Structure formats: structure tokens, C-alpha cells
Amino acid sequence: SVSISHVHVNTKPKEITMPAAPFNITTIYFLPLLTAFFIFQQSHARPRAPNSLVLGLTQSRNILPTPKLPLNSVRKPSETFDMLEPLREVRDGYLISLNLGKPKQVIQVYMDTGSDLTWVPCGNLSFDCIDCDDYRNNKLMASFSPSYSSSSFRDSCASPFCINIHSSDNSFDPCTVAGCSLNTLLKDIWTCTRPCPSFAYTYGEGVVAGTLTRDTLIVHGSTPNITREIPKFCFGCVSSTYREPIGIAGFGKGPLSLPSQLGFIQKGFSHCFLAFKFANNPNISSPLVIGDLAISSKDLLQFTPMLKCPMYPNYYYIGLEAITVGNISATEVPLSLREFDALGNGGMLIDSGTTYTHLPEPFYSQLLLVLQSIISYPRANEVEARTGFDLCYRVPCPNNTFADDVLPSITFHFLNNVSLVLPSGNHFYAMNAPNNSSVVKCFLFQSMDGADYGPAGVFGSFQQQNVEVVYDLEKERIGFQPMDCASAAVSQGLHKT
């Protein structure tokens, strides 16, 4: 999900339909908010260096692959501050475990470079997610209970985070709806002792409503068995959502983001997403590194500059110059994928919270034509109809065992002469097990809806698998290096034997 100034661009992939689940609403204020959101939708048809942190990401997966703030505490000069956490692969993304409160409560949330706010499902008794039928039996929906934590408290209306969460042009924000304007908040920022008003944070296909909360966050250092407490970490305590069943850790550049609050935003972070075949494997996680360790010794990587978007300065944009299919250059890439217009529309957003890469029309359709002219295997039209993907082929699979990919390679050419050959499996993906010496593989790119507003394209997490992606925020550049992320996980101690 691509978060733009608290409003996400609608780039979610076509979802797989799962069994339905009943829902109810316990937050009464959320009703008019949702009504307004529905009307809006209808009308707008993730040697040791100091100062780092290493985290682990877990992968989430469906049935089908579908102003800088200081640290809250003083850092001792001798401390190792690399941060290393595992990322678990799950449905449509990668999860990071947040250890919140005293005693700690462990909540798994998506790692999202396309938004700032970190939020968790919240409530002592229940967490309501409307139109989240496909998560009915999902065991990841743990909720955070503030009353069970001795260190939890509501953020104040005098907090800069409170000003930030209410400073967008989001018409669904409860503070705006109630007439509690930003000017009112600013007027008594130095004397206000009231809690920060409830907020709403909208995404392309969803919205969350909650309160800003502070509590202790425990993070893992890159040195084994070393943890550090971050007091007064600010996050959204969300009790009601629409189509957003799992919390999110925002990795944007805004003050609310997790790296910003940890004080690492001046350096950067890196991740190496495991391939989908490791989904639901509890014994291995994708490495997520925050701080010096993520940036040091990376000079051999190819770096493309971060583009500065005047409309959405908190998110990560890069410029796409060309796409090569095999040895054939695809049709000319539109300038909108590497330039912004006067309003700030354009550029390619790199986003771990969007599953598949999205390209604007007519460029996307022209790319499909190039692929069709090269690939001679029979189309699997029934699979296309069922999944919503545009190109699916029946590919030979001798002895029903996977062999080297016989489909053409795809290379992305970014600004600064950076060429990234997508690793095998990052463009066409097997939709089923081999049968009768063949397997159906589908092209996992999608058309960019509404590309005239916001980013012109999105570089999604599926195409970033088995690639080390380095966000060098100090030098304002993003590096790419194909890598066996499973081997990287083993070297970082993120593999259980």
C-alpha cells in the first residue's frame, strides 16, 4: 500500500477471494468516517559498525502470490547501535515483530517503505476490521492492550507527532470533521495538556482510525542477545479499520516513521527479501538492517539517485529509463517514470508495501506485447481469468521438476546507468505444482491505476526478492545488488537449524 501524505495511492493487487467473516463496529465515531470514505472511493473509481540496528522480517503470503527528532534516550559512546531484525514472509508482504510495552507484547506488522505511521491493532477486548474477510482465520491478528502495559500513555496534543498526524489534507480525519483544526492545535501547543485527538489515516483501499500512543519499544542489536529499550515510542493505537487487518511499521522519511524515531533516518537501512518459496517457513527470516551496518562497505553496489518529489517528500522515488526483455529493448519509457510535473506527479515509487510492480499505460500494455512476441508457449487463459494476471503461459517442465527458467529475462535500467536483472522467479511465477510435464507461470506485473495523479509507477516487493536493496539516506541514493537472501539470512544468524 502506497502512502501519500496520509493518503495511499490505489496500487493493491487483485486479491484472492477467501471465506467471508462477519464483522461489527465498536467505535461509533468510525461510522460516519467510513461512510465518507465509501463515497470518496466510489467517486474516485521492508566487522560491526556502531549506530545500527538489525531486524528480521517474516514473509506473508496468500494462497497465490498475489523535523528530524532526536532519540528518546542518550546513547553511550561504547554502544553498538546496529539494528538487525528478522522479516517474516506472509501474505502480500513482510512482517516485523514489534515488542511493545512492559511487560512486552509482541505484535507482527507489515514493514512498509511507502508510509510513515507505525500502528498496531489495539484494544483490550476486540479489534474491528471491516471487509477483511480473507483474514478470518489469520492467526497474525494479535492486538496490543494499553491497559496491560505499565508504561503506556496517550500522546499529548502539544506533541509534534500530534501536529504531524493532523497536518495533512485528509478530509476523513476526525479532528477535521469535528472542527478541531490544525490552527487550534497550534494555538495552544505549549500549554495544551489534553490527549491528542483521534486520527484517521487513509490508504488506497483502506482506512484506520485510532489514537496516538506512547510506550516502550524493545529492539534487537546486531550483536546476539543484545536488546535496547526505546522509551516513549509513538505509534497509532488502532481499534477500527477498513481493509487493513494487520498493523504497519512505517519506514518513510517523516518524523513519525520507525527509523526517524530511532534516530537512524540520517543513515539508512537495507533489506534482502527471501523468495516466495520460503513463505510460511518459521525457520528462516529476511534480514532487515538499520543504521551504519546497512550502509558501510556497500560502495560496490550500483546506486541510483533518490528523486525529490515536491508533493510527497517523505517517500522514496527513483527514475526508470528503460526495460529490456531478453536482448530486446521494450518500447520507450515515458518521461513520467523519471520526472515530476509541476504538481509533483510522476516518478517511480519504491515500496515494500505494494506487492507487484505497477507500470503506467500505454507503456505497460506495450511491454506485454513485447513479451508475447518473444514467448511462443501456449497461453493459460483460464488461469488468467481466475487470477486477474494478464499473461500466463504453460511452460515445459520435464519430469515435473523445475529447471532453469526458459522465459526471457527482464532488466530494469534506472538513472545513473544502474541495471538490475530481475532474479529468476521475480517476473514469471509458477501458479501451481508441475503437472503432465508442464507448469503455468504468470507475469506478476500490473497496470498502474490513476497514474495521472501521484507516482507514475511502483517498484513492488515481489520484484525485489533476492535483491539487497540499500537506502542510503545520507547520500540520498538507493543501491541494488542481486543476492541469495537465504544465504544472507544464514550469515546474519536468522536461520534456525
Side-chain angles (χ1 to χ4, degrees), residues 319-354:
L320 182 67
E321 287 192 303
I323 291 180
T324 301
V325 180
N327 295 321
I328 300 176
S329 180
T331 186
E332 186 176 354
V333 173
L335 286 174
S336 62
L337 280 169
R338 57 186 180 272
E339 293 181 0
F340 301 106
D341 65 18
L343 298 177
N345 300 304
M348 174 170 263
L349 193 74
I350 177 168
D351 180 21
S352 67
T354 296

Side-chain angles (χ1 to χ4, degrees), residues 40 84 246:
F40 175 84
L84 172 58
I246 298 177

